[in-house]
Amino acid sequence: MLTGRNPPPERKLKAGEILHLTRAASPQFATPIQVRVIRELPERHPPYGWLWFEGYQLDAKGAAVAKRELFVLREGLHWLDAAPPVAPAVRRPSPRTLVKVG
């Protein structure tokens, strides 16, 4: 029995982190999803152990497909170490125009 000990500190959500949400986080995630965190919403005063946060739901390629506000059990969150790969932007050369001199 652990008496007189403090519980481990809660990990705070940071913008840009990727979470994998399953039923461990909430029954609404019968089908797991991945979410990129925008911000935690502490002003909603969730019950102990729960939290509200705003994030983007990601598709299989890591692109944002929907903005969501989610209510989850903090203990059920699973942080992913790396963000899913996102295709880099393609740089296109600017069109050149001929200039007549003289």
Side-chain angles (χ1 to χ4, degrees):
M1 183 172 182
L2 298 174
T3 57
R5 299 189 85 187
N6 293 330
E10 294 178 347
R11 181 173 173 178
K12 299 290 183 187
L13 294 181
K14 296 177 191 167
E17 290 182 317
I18 307 294
L19 300 175
H20 182 71
L21 302 178
T22 64
R23 282 187 183 218
S26 175
Q28 66 183 308
F29 302 117
T31 302
I33 65 170
Q34 288 187 7
V35 178
R36 184 173 54 240
V37 175
I38 297 171
R39 66 187 181 109
E40 195 169 334
L41 302 169
E43 63 274 8
R44 295 212 176 160
H45 306 289
Y48 181 79
W50 292 82
L51 67 100
W52 278 96
F53 78 95
E54 198 172 44
Y56 292 109
Q57 183 173 341
L58 305 177
D59 65 11
K61 294 180 182 179
V65 293
K67 186 175 180 180
R68 299 185 60 180
E69 289 183 2
L70 301 162
F71 182 63
V72 295
L73 184 62
R74 188 179 295 274
E75 240 179 50
L77 298 179
H78 178 71
W79 277 264
L80 297 178
D81 291 334
V86 176
V90 177
R91 182 174 177 185
R92 301 184 199 300
S94 59
R96 299 187 184 258
T97 56
L98 297 175
V99 178
K100 189 174 184 179
V101 179

